[in-house]
Amino acid sequence: MTFSLSSGGLPLQDLIVGASVYFPPLFKAVLLGFLIWLVAHRLLRDWMYSGEIWHPMLMDLSLFALSVCLGLAVLTVW
């Protein structure tokens, strides 16, 4: 009795292939965006927490959203 990992039609194999196609690009964008956010947050921290423009938490959240969008753009272009 032999077991081949490359045999088609297995539900587990379909699940693994489907997860690798749909899930990781968004996950990679969030991870890359988080790294971009860490750098940008460090550079803009004093200005954000002064409260000149927005509430600091809103500014932080918007900066994170922009970082994730930038990460997705970098992954799409690259």
Side-chain angles (χ1 to χ4, degrees):
M1 182 173 181
T2 61
F3 180 72
S4 175
L5 292 176
S6 64
S7 63
L10 292 174
L12 183 60
Q13 183 182 11
D14 293 340
L15 179 67
I16 291 171
V17 170
S20 68
V21 169
Y22 293 114
F23 182 67
L26 182 62
F27 188 66
K28 289 177 187 176
V30 171
L31 284 178
L32 184 59
F34 180 69
L35 293 175
I36 293 169
W37 175 81
L38 284 175
V39 173
H41 178 78
R42 179 88 174 166
L43 294 173
L44 301 173
R45 183 175 45 200
D46 294 333
W47 177 65
M48 284 191 320
Y49 290 151
S50 70
E52 276 181 36
I53 299 197
W54 275 356
H55 190 278
M57 290 299 287
L58 288 174
M59 188 71 174
D60 216 11
L61 184 62
S62 64
L63 184 64
F64 181 73
L66 288 171
S67 299
V68 170
C69 290
L70 181 64
L72 185 61
V74 166
L75 287 175
T76 302
V77 171
W78 204 348

